[in-house]
Amino acid sequence: MVSSPLLVSLTFFLSLPLLLFLSPHILSPPDADDLALFRRAAAPHTTSHLSATPKIAFLFLTNSNLTFSPLWEKFFSSSSSDHHRHRLFNIYIHADPTKNITISGGVFHHLVPAKPTARASPSLISAARRLLAAALLDDPLNHYFALLSQYCIPLHSLQFTHNFLFKNPHKSFIEILSNEPNLFDRYTARGEHAMLPEIPFSSFRVGSQFFILTRRHARVVVRDILLWNKFRLPCVTEEPCYPEEHYFPTLLSMQDPNGCTGFTLTRVNWTGCWDGHPHLYTAPEVSPELILRLRESNSSSYVYLFARKFAPECLTPLMEIADDVILRE
């Protein structure tokens, strides 16, 4: 008969691989509700009403008030009729519960269960995944998923935005770059070999965290566990490693590079910026000429649909040109 201590040691040895496999879930009990949500959202769903108008899910990720909600209200009401307008979109909001945030109401009422977020941390990845999961589960007609912040503004009308997205080949609009400065430093920020073997440096990508994903790619994101368990690791370097700028482009580049355009439709101005923050537009800079300039793209096939980053004081001058410039079709 096997002695009791030997039996315990043998049992532990045989169960070690299972413990290692489950350790991310066992060691992080706060993620249990997220994992359940993602599992449900990643499951195959029957799409009903296949002939119905496909929708855009607008995903607002914020840690402060939605200052530009009056402009967005105009945007969402800019279609021809109430009946037609509400067939084009849904809105979802992830608002940091540790901040004193007031949601204006109106079309901004669908808050998803949220957790605290912090810049340059995996919490922003988790927040975006919650938004994607909520939108996937809420409406099978959500075909595109646009991630936005409180500093984003629309550059066109809702009808133009909808027509533009659905007239193009069904691809995700996400920036995917492989030759940016400091890319290797970002890759090794968790440790020289921390990303291996799942993510070799040759597969590591960077891009804007603001994207427009197809439904298929939204499911890829919420289904992922392998890469998430790498990107959730803390950075050990002095400089921030901005996991939210790497996780999504790396994942989709590895899973389906041909299904991505490789660029974002959210315009941002990095000219003269060095501290990780893009140019912040102020009220004196707002003009019809600025809006027209922000729309322009280097591509003959695409235009920018959104822009950031705008200071709250820009609301008044933006509202003054909303009808005649921003939302004019």
Side-chain angles (χ1 to χ4, degrees):
M1 185 174 179
V2 180
S3 66
S4 199
L6 181 59
L7 181 61
V8 171
S9 299
L10 183 61
T11 302
F12 176 79
F13 179 79
L14 292 174
S15 63
L16 188 58
L18 180 62
L19 288 171
L20 291 173
F21 176 76
L22 294 176
S23 61
H25 313 295
I26 295 172
L27 297 176
S28 304
D31 287 346
D33 50 350
D34 279 348
L35 291 171
L37 171 66
F38 300 155
R39 195 175 297 116
R40 286 189 292 117
H45 298 284
T46 302
T47 304
S48 58
H49 310 295
L50 291 177
S51 61
T53 304
K55 299 179 182 180
I56 305 169
F58 290 87
L59 315 177
F60 287 88
L61 199 169
T62 184
N63 60 3
S64 64
N65 291 339
L66 296 175
T67 306
F68 297 112
S69 58
L71 177 61
W72 283 105
E73 290 271 4
K74 268 186 171 289
F75 170 81
F76 289 120
S77 63
S78 63
S79 189
S80 54
S81 68
D82 284 346
H83 175 68
H84 179 66
R85 180 168 67 243
H86 288 292
R87 290 168 51 204
L88 302 182
F89 70 92
N90 287 303
I91 300 170
Y92 306 88
I93 306 163
H94 186 289
D96 189 326
T98 65
K99 309 296 183 182
N100 186 20
I101 300 174
T102 301
I103 302 300
S104 61
V107 296
F108 293 98
H109 59 81
H110 193 149
L111 276 77
V112 307
K115 296 181 182 180
T117 56
R119 181 173 175 264
S121 83
S123 64
L124 289 176
I125 300 174
S126 295
R129 296 178 83 200
R130 286 184 209 109
L131 283 163
L132 289 167
L136 282 166
L137 289 167
D138 180 60
D139 192 338
L141 292 176
N142 286 333
H143 283 208
Y144 270 117
F145 301 75
L147 185 66
L148 303 160
S149 81
Q150 70 270 39
Y151 301 109
C152 292
I153 67 165
L155 295 176
H156 298 273
S157 69
L158 172 63
Q159 190 67 61
F160 180 96
T161 301
H162 191 277
N163 290 346
F164 178 85
L165 287 176
F166 289 101
K167 79 175 182 180
N168 280 291
H170 208 54
K171 290 188 174 185
S172 288
F173 295 90
I174 177 170
E175 188 174 50
I176 300 175
L177 304 172
S178 60
N179 57 354
E180 291 299 287
N182 303 322
L183 194 63
F184 186 73
D185 292 339
R186 297 269 191 99
Y187 177 74
T188 57
R190 297 162 188 83
E192 187 176 356
H193 304 294
M195 305 300 277
L196 295 172
E198 290 84 357
I199 310 170
F201 177 64
S202 60
S203 298
F204 193 64
R205 300 289 184 267
V206 66
S208 168
Q209 71 179 103
F210 299 101
F211 50 65
I212 304 176
L213 300 187
T214 62
R215 187 174 184 90
R216 180 164 59 89
H217 285 165
R219 290 186 61 226
V220 167
V221 169
V222 299
R223 187 171 59 234
D224 172 61
I225 295 176
L226 196 66
L227 267 63
W228 164 241
N229 281 336
K230 292 294 186 177
F231 279 97
R232 70 188 299 184
L233 296 173
C235 299
V236 295
T237 54
E238 291 184 9
E239 293 296 319
C241 61
Y242 302 103
E244 70 276 17
E245 295 181 1
H246 295 275
Y247 172 73
F248 299 101
T250 298
L251 173 64
L252 293 179
S253 176
M254 293 178 70
Q255 292 279 335
D256 184 21
N258 293 329
C260 303
T261 62
F263 54 85
T264 178
L265 297 184
T266 299
R267 183 72 177 266
V268 62
N269 182 2
W270 288 102
T271 304
C273 299
W274 54 270
D275 60 351
H277 291 281
H279 176 73
L280 181 67
Y281 291 101
T282 58
E285 295 177 89
V286 175
S287 67
E289 291 74 24
L290 174 65
I291 299 301
L292 297 178
R293 192 163 64 248
L294 291 174
R295 289 175 175 175
E296 294 176 358
S297 165
N298 292 330
S299 168
S300 59
S301 303
Y302 302 109
V303 297
Y304 287 105
L305 298 179
F306 313 110
R308 61 185 293 270
K309 183 177 183 180
F310 284 79
E313 67 195 58
C314 294
L315 177 62
T316 297
L318 285 169
M319 292 295 286
E320 290 172 354
I321 62 173
D323 291 329
D324 294 334
V325 180
I326 299 175
L327 305 178
R328 188 172 181 178
E329 295 182 20

